[in-house]
Amino acid sequence: MENGVDVTEARPGGADRSVLCALGASAGGLAPVEEFFDAIPPDTGMSFVLVQHLSPDHESMMGALLESHTEMPILQAVDDTQLEPDHVYLIPPGAEISVAGGRMQVRDRKLDRRDLHRPIDTFFTSMAADFGPAAIAIVLSGTGSDGTAGIERVRRAGGLTLVQDSSAAFEGMPDAALRSGFVDASMSPSDIADACVVYRETGRRPVSQGHDDVALTPADAELVGLLEEATGISFSEYKPGTMRRRIERRVTLADMPDTASYLVGARDNTVELEELTRDLLIDVTGFFRDTEMFDLLEHEILPQLVLEAASANDPIRVWVAGCSTGQEAYSIAMLLLEAVESLHGSRPTVQIFATDIHDGSLRHATEGRYSADDMAEVSEARRSRFFDELSTSWRVKPELRSVITFAQHNLLADAPFTRVDLVTCRNVMIYFQPSAQDRALGAMNFALRPGGAMVLGSSEALGPIEIDYETVSSTWRIYRKKVDAVARSLRAGQMGARLRVPVRTPAFAADQRLLRTYDALLEAHFASGLLLNERRELVHTIGGATGWLRQPTGRPTLDALSMVTDANLRLALGATLRELETGSDRTEPRFVVPTENDGRAQAMLIGETIRVGSATHYLLFTREVEEPLELPPTPRSAGVAPEDTEYTLQLEAELLYTRESLQAALEEQETSNEELNAANEELIASNEELQSTNEELSSVNEELRTLNDEHHIRLDQVLELSADLEQLMSSTEIGVVFLAEDRSIRRFNEPARDYFRVREGDVSRPFEDIVSRLSYAQLDEDINSVFNGEGAQVQTVSHADDRARRLVVRVDRYELPRDRWGVFIAVVDVTDVVVAEEERALASLLLASPLVVGIWDEDDQLLYRNRSVLAGELPVPFDPEEPQPVPLALMDETISIAAERARNEGATVVGFQRAADRDAAAEGFDEYLFILHPFDLVGQRLVGAIAVPATHVAEMIEARAREMFSRAIVGHDRLSIVTFDRNGDPIEASGIEGTGDRLLDNLRRQFPEAFDDMRAAHLAAATKGVPSHLQLRGQGPDGDPAVVDLHVQPVEDSLLGAIGIGIHVADYERQLWELKDEVARLRAELIEEREQGLTRADDLAERNHDLDNFAHVAAHDLKAPIRSVRSFAELAMDELPDASPAQPHMQQVVDASMRMTSLLESLLDFASIDRQQPDKEIINLTDVVEEVTADLDSVISQRGARIIRPERFDDVRGDRAGVRQVLVNLVQNAIKYSDEEPVIELTTRVEDEGVVIVVSDNGRGFEMTEVDRLFEPFQRLHDTSVSGNGVGLAICKRIVERQDGRIWASSVPGEGSRFSIWLPDTDVER
Amino acid sequence: MTTILLIDDNGADLEIIRRAFSTVVDVRIESASSAADALEWFAAHGDPDTLVVTDLNMPGADGIAVIEQLRDLCEIPPVTLVFSTSARAVDVDRAYAAGANGYHTKPMGFHETTELCGQIASYWLGSAARPRGSTRPAEASGVA
């Protein structure tokens, strides 16, 4: 505490009362506040209050900004709430906060311009009173000096005071606080936080550093030198901090950028120097300031002192050191007068010496006039007792005034008073450097009698003289000097040094103007003269006046009169000076005869007052008398009586004159004083006003800075946000276009170009000029409705270029600042979402599917299996309830082989498996279909298996068949299914993909009336519920006539509420070809089928061939024995006699052998027909028939048969010999099976890409039930009356079929029969 | 002197044909029941004047072999006729390709056979001129 500030070293409250930590911050305060809260733990138990300069019109962002820096709750202060520990309170905008009884007090800030807004001071002050040592005041960055006064209060109340060090962006506030001398330490915000915690826990204050470093700048030092010259007061003993602070204040008020500039202006400006001096010296004072202290004085100290004085019959002497404008001195005087009056018996006289170094303050004090504001603390009784009320102020009554002697006195330099009963010196020494404090204390100690009382300021201490005093009140620093105190010297060494009166040459201080004045005067008056200042000190000697002067012996002096040796001259000078001092500008010439003159040197002495600025000088000069007065001769002998007489007379006259002029001067001065006072008050008032305005301005300025800081942060946030959004806009896949109120494009992002043809240059173009790439016809309409305020429009549309892409388009309004708004169009591609949805739906379908599905990974571990209801029914271990899922490889040999294939070949393998499990087979699921499908997923080849019981396979096949059917219909371009709604308007037409609509269009174009007809047909069908039919005629797309058959089939669909109508669209020509195509296709299928059948019957064919060979060989080999039998029988008949009874028997043998031969030959014929395709040729049937009739000529003529044939037959293609054989057989049969005259008709007709040969007869015919047996070999339908062995028709069938032909028969028994042979128009080789 | 050489593995057929020929013509008739016997005989006694009548299907060397070996054996082969049960065209073609001078399906009765043999005899032993040169084999040891 080398600064001498000694306050109560109380420990902070401890557990019972929480410590309140208040932070004052202004411009540039955000960063340190954040740093502070970053460093402070959230559980210190302290309450935090952040006081800022806030604009009353704006919400503060501080809460939001601080949130990220502390975990403590951050609240805006609310009136009359208890301060909670570990909470942060913020000052609300437009409010003033204080604290009382531990509760927050919030008041609206008075917006009076006179009201100085110093929220930090306000809160600190209240906190000092409420929390005392448990208060921590922290001043952070800011301009101005708010907080300085509060810091002083807090420190005096024992609290901890800390300020931000040079890290502050604006050092005004911390510096001001630091210079007050009441700051414990100056450190960085994080160190401040640590110091708070330490103080809270241990009560230890941080080791102070820094504030003694404040040094006066060279400019300051020069200014101090200047002041010392101008006022004689040395400020070198004052604390540099205080000096700097006050100098800066003046610099600011003078609107100078720095001290150096101020110095230049102030050097020639005595008024400014005076103001500065006053600022440097004046401390706050007031009547009864610190009421409690005065109570102590009134009730304990003064009565005792008065009693002691009374008993000693001494006057009671009081020294008020540093009385300033006198309020304290008057206060003590009032108390003393009252105390004395209360005494009974002898009343001691009261002598109060009120001293101050500043004569300006002293003048005020001497005048004893105070404003009503000043009088606030003076009770009504005392006012009437001790004061006279003037119009706007109060004046001290003479009674009170008379007990006080105001004197200019330098506590550090001038000799103290003696035998004083009470010394008060409050808040003076705090501005002194430590050594000066000691010296001042020494002076007061010297002045005080033993037993006397001393009152110091609350932050001042006794220091070195403490041992001689006992404490009356430590709070109010009231001490009594011990009666046995050793008298101490004044510390002469120190004092002496200070007592050195500097040889001041006022001329040094005089400015150049004055010197020029002198020069002018000297030119005007070539006379002798003296220039004196107000204190009659010699400033300048003019002309021969040097001869008047002589330094008296002893101590050198500047007093002009004491240097004038000539008595007459001195008298005249004295009278003239007095006249001038009463206000006369110029005196009448005064006749002077210097005594040491021989009478010749007579002169007229004239005085003039010269005012330059605030300085007044007196010029006394002589003018030579042209005609010397004849004076009575001066008696030279016998003493000096005549001279004495004359001298006495002269003195009397002079005295009379002096009295008169004094009276006049007094009166004059009285009035001018009044005027001056009034003017002065006005000036002070307006000055105060200016100062407060200035403070207000700098406060507003700080608010603006704070606001600006916030704006910077917000701007940063906005820029960050903007960058984030910019990034989002460009990287998102959502296409966005922003429209302004005039529907022009404000902004769009890159993805938007996929949906609208916008380019960079399109910004601010109207949106309606932009081509949309969406299939969204009413987009403009929707945008309009949004602009008309109808709310958001959301549509799902598809992309015009790729209809598979599904897009959600949202058009909506959004607010812009300043009541403006815009519209945005956002396009989101939801194709993937739709696909994903579909897949998800499929997946969930799969879960519920009756199919049993499982997925195995590369290591054959089961990854997934659904919960098919059939799982348990399948003979494979797909059962999801199975705790250990079975790998595919172990499941079943067939499946594991298939799985291996699916894995290795990447191919889908479908298989059909029979259950090995007999039990499963018994339940009906003996067969199942399995599908193994490989797919690659994240680098793995997975295998999915689907298993379906065979019963379900059948269902699946049926469903597939149905699907194939509908696909066939859809794919058909002649057959179209058109569905209509209930009104008969077509909804949809099936057809080859994409042709449905075209078909409808074609219908519309080709059959303009068709739709009306269709409607009519539809109506008929719908109302009657029966199919209707109509035929439409029109022109086809190629201009050909077109006919459409329309079959309308009503299909009631309750769900769709629609009736479907099928239309068969075809022109007949094409229809026919179509049928042919269909037949050809069917035949091709048939052939294919047969070939397949042949290949399938390969072994059968083999066997047939063998059989044929066998038949051939058997017939051949059988012939030999039969031949032998017959031959030998015939031989025997030749050799037997004709009458031999053996002859008929031998004939029987011959006949039997002959029948057997015939049978064998037929068998041989049948067997020998070549099964290979014979060579084919174009057969002229007419020639063949000619040959046949020729062959059979004998039979024909024998039976009288008639052969009817056309002139010309159609040409037949095929094996000529075969055809001939067939015809021979058929004609032979026809003749053979006729009972009467046979009539046989041969015809041909072209049919179905071939020719049909018809052989009809009028024979017996046969039952149609027998027709199947007709063409079988060795089948005879008739009795043996007709020769034949039943092979003929079989041979015919075989020959025809060998040529890919067909043979069939029909008959009406008794009427006749008809045999038809169809031979195809096959290609002929030749 | 003219000889008819009959070759047939079927003894009944051989007898019927021999009887039929002997009924219609008075020449020497030699019978062989196999191709080997026939060729052996021919090598020993054959001359160009011999009329060879052979069956086609026989065990071992068949009728075709007989025709071919006779052609190999003789500078001018004897007239060779085929009597076969088969009426198949393929057999007919084969026989003529080998060098047969005629092909007849064996008739089914004795009377029909006698009729056929009469026709053959009247043609080949009557109106037709037969080769007269030496039918001696160029290499006498050509018989297998």
Side-chain angles (χ1 to χ4, degrees), chain A residues 941-969:
Chain A
R941 166 69 50 86
L942 308 179
V943 169
I946 302 171
V948 200
T951 45
H952 294 271
V953 175
E955 287 164 15
M956 276 168 63
I957 287 169
E958 196 183 325
R960 283 291 287 273
R962 215 173 283 132
E963 190 199 323
M964 278 167 69
F965 175 75
S966 50
R967 272 195 0 227
I969 297 261

Side-chain angles (χ1 to χ4, degrees), chain A residues 1236-1271:
Chain A
E1236 297 150 18
E1237 283 188 357
V1239 178
I1240 298 154
E1241 189 176 6
L1242 291 165
T1243 56
T1244 58
R1245 67 168 192 270
V1246 175
E1247 185 178 299
D1248 196 16
E1249 295 180 24
V1251 176
V1252 177
I1253 308 165
V1254 181
V1255 179
S1256 52
D1257 61 53
N1258 60 343
R1260 296 182 201 166
F1262 52 87
E1263 292 292 335
M1264 283 306 282
T1265 49
E1266 313 270 15
V1267 79
D1268 285 343
R1269 287 169 53 210
L1270 207 59
F1271 297 100

Side-chain angles (χ1 to χ4, degrees), chain A residues 436-749:
Chain A
Q437 289 179 4
D438 290 351
R439 214 159 55 236
L441 282 166
M444 289 188 288
N445 181 41
F446 180 82
L448 200 63
R449 69 167 174 87
M454 185 183 287
V455 180
L456 298 179
S458 54
S459 64
E460 291 159 334
L462 287 175
I465 59 167
E466 197 174 351
I467 48 167
D468 291 336
Y469 289 83
E470 53 193 36
T471 304
V472 177
S473 164
S474 62
T475 310
W476 300 112
R477 308 284 168 177
I478 301 174
Y479 307 96
R480 284 199 76 151
K481 194 176 182 179
K482 293 175 182 168
V483 183
D484 55 352
V486 181
R488 288 169 188 279
S489 76
L490 275 173
R491 300 197 175 191
Q494 290 176 359
M495 205 60 153
R498 296 308 312 165
L499 282 171
R500 168 183 56 88
V501 176
V503 180
R504 287 173 296 158
T505 43
F508 294 166
D511 59 19
Q512 292 300 313
R513 262 181 311 184
L514 196 56
L515 288 176
R516 283 198 298 277
T517 310
Y518 288 161
D519 292 345
L521 286 169
L522 285 171
E523 272 184 48
H525 312 282
F526 291 100
S528 305
L530 300 172
L531 184 65
L532 309 182
N533 65 11
E534 283 174 288
R535 293 186 290 277
R536 297 189 179 184
E537 289 166 346
L538 184 61
V539 176
H540 204 99
T541 313
I542 305 161
T546 323
W548 304 348
L549 307 171
R550 194 192 68 206
Q551 270 292 348
T553 52
R555 284 159 64 181
T557 180
L558 276 177
D559 189 78
L561 289 186
S562 54
M563 283 192 285
V564 175
T565 49
D566 189 286
N568 284 352
L569 191 54
R570 192 162 66 226
L571 272 173
L573 280 171
T576 306
L577 267 177
R578 273 190 295 277
E579 197 177 333
L580 289 175
E581 281 168 357
T582 58
S584 172
D585 284 340
R586 189 188 173 95
T587 58
E588 287 301 312
R590 196 170 257 115
F591 194 72
V592 178
V593 181
T595 48
E596 290 175 16
N597 202 301
D598 52 6
R600 288 171 292 154
Q602 294 180 1
M604 299 297 285
L605 182 66
I606 301 167
E608 259 182 48
T609 303
I610 299 164
R611 293 190 179 81
V612 181
S614 65
T616 306
H617 290 84
Y618 304 117
L619 179 66
L620 303 164
F621 62 95
T622 55
R623 192 181 290 160
E624 293 298 328
V625 181
E626 282 125 38
E627 294 174 16
L629 283 173
E630 280 300 326
L631 288 174
T634 305
R636 288 179 170 267
S637 58
V640 291
E643 287 170 19
D644 287 348
T645 311
E646 190 193 350
Y647 184 57
T648 307
L649 286 172
Q650 197 175 347
L651 280 177
E652 281 172 356
E654 210 171 282
L655 187 61
L656 186 65
Y657 172 76
T658 304
R659 272 188 190 145
E660 287 167 359
S661 53
L662 182 63
Q663 187 60 35
L666 278 176
E667 284 164 9
E668 206 174 308
Q669 188 158 16
E670 192 76 16
T671 51
S672 71
N673 262 356
E674 283 293 331
E675 286 166 16
L676 282 171
N677 281 340
N680 193 37
E681 272 174 26
E682 271 174 41
L683 281 173
I684 287 168
S686 64
N687 187 35
E688 280 169 0
E689 200 173 313
L690 281 172
Q691 282 188 24
S692 66
T693 304
N694 186 47
E695 288 284 344
E696 178 79 10
L697 279 174
S698 52
S699 181
V700 167
N701 187 34
E702 281 160 29
E703 282 174 4
L704 286 175
R705 281 181 196 278
T706 313
L707 201 62
N708 196 31
D709 277 358
E710 286 179 10
H711 282 160
H712 270 298
I713 285 166
R714 287 186 78 160
L715 187 64
D716 283 348
Q717 288 172 341
V718 166
L719 285 176
E720 276 172 27
L721 194 65
S722 170
D724 292 347
L725 287 177
E726 200 70 42
Q727 177 61 29
L728 182 67
M729 282 275 286
S730 61
S731 61
T732 182
E733 287 179 5
I734 301 172
V736 187
V737 179
F738 295 98
L739 304 184
E741 278 169 283
D742 62 357
R743 307 192 185 187
S744 63
I745 297 176
R746 266 172 27 88
R747 190 189 297 270
F748 64 89
N749 66 353

Side-chain angles (χ1 to χ4, degrees), chain A residues 1255-1295:
Chain A
V1255 179
S1256 52
D1257 61 53
N1258 60 343
R1260 296 182 201 166
F1262 52 87
E1263 292 292 335
M1264 283 306 282
T1265 49
E1266 313 270 15
V1267 79
D1268 285 343
R1269 287 169 53 210
L1270 207 59
F1271 297 100
E1272 295 292 307
F1274 307 112
Q1275 294 287 342
R1276 292 190 57 152
L1277 306 180
H1278 300 283
D1279 55 42
T1280 51
S1281 64
V1282 177
S1283 65
N1285 47 38
V1287 180
L1289 287 176
I1291 290 170
C1292 288
K1293 183 169 195 272
R1294 214 159 169 181
I1295 290 170

